[in-house]
Amino acid sequence: MDDIAHRKELVEKLYKRISGRLSVIQALADHERLKILVHLGIAGTSRGMNVTELTAVSRLSRPAMSHHLKLLKDCGLLQVRKVGTQCFYVFDAEKHLEAIKETVEMFSETVKGADNSMIPDSAEWLLKLIEQEEAERQ
């Protein structure tokens, strides 16, 4: 396989791997959403916080807060627990921080590889990681 075809194959595999996490990357790209996750992480998984509580500790309006919470929930970072008529949003930091770290590292390595014309060591390492994860799933 020539060098260009090999690079195209690596880019395609890396893109497929990252594309499943694009919604998480997009959700984390906003500083207000990061602040929300910090507040929810401090609140803990047993309690969580509702929209009113989150709005009180931020500069966001209630509709804006609801919008951000929906994005975080849709990408899987938040769970919603209903208590009566209230919805409490929960961020399980322990569960998600490792996945977030892996996503950021994967994105960083992919961009680094792309910026440097696919550094072979970096790309090969990611490819091996992908293959290991796929083998573990089977």
Side-chain angles (χ1 to χ4, degrees):
M1 178 182 299
D2 68 350
D3 190 47
I4 293 174
H6 179 68
R7 288 179 189 201
K8 284 183 179 181
E9 181 183 334
L10 287 175
V11 168
E12 188 61 33
K13 285 185 179 185
L14 292 171
Y15 177 77
K16 283 180 184 178
R17 178 74 171 123
I18 287 177
S19 66
R21 297 183 182 195
L22 285 178
S23 62
V24 172
I25 293 169
Q26 290 170 333
L28 296 174
D30 182 90
H31 69 277
E32 292 298 335
R33 287 191 285 273
L34 289 173
K35 289 179 188 177
I36 292 167
L37 291 177
V38 170
H39 283 294
L40 291 172
I42 292 169
T45 57
S46 60
R47 168 86 168 78
M49 295 175 78
N50 64 27
V51 175
T52 303
E53 293 168 329
L54 285 164
T55 303
V57 297
S58 77
R59 300 178 298 129
L60 299 174
S61 67
R62 201 175 162 95
M65 179 62 71
S66 294
H67 171 74
H68 287 297
L69 290 170
K70 180 183 180 333
L71 290 173
L72 290 166
K73 183 174 95 38
D74 288 351
C75 76
L77 289 174
L78 295 185
Q79 287 72 48
V80 180
R81 192 179 72 246
K82 288 194 174 208
V83 178
T85 59
Q86 295 187 13
C87 292
F88 286 85
Y89 295 86
V90 177
F91 173 62
D92 187 344
E94 191 173 316
K95 175 181 175 185
H96 293 292
L97 286 180
E98 188 61 33
I100 291 169
K101 180 181 171 188
E102 288 173 11
T103 300
V104 171
E105 287 173 354
M106 186 184 312
F107 183 75
S108 173
E109 286 296 319
T110 302
V111 171
K112 177 183 167 189
D115 285 348
N116 293 297
S117 300
M118 291 305 297
I119 298 169
D121 294 341
S122 173
E124 291 297 330
W125 176 82
L126 278 172
L127 188 57
K128 286 178 185 175
L129 180 66
I130 292 167
E131 290 170 353
Q132 283 177 341
E133 287 183 10
E134 288 173 352
E136 288 173 5
R137 286 187 207 144
Q138 295 172 356

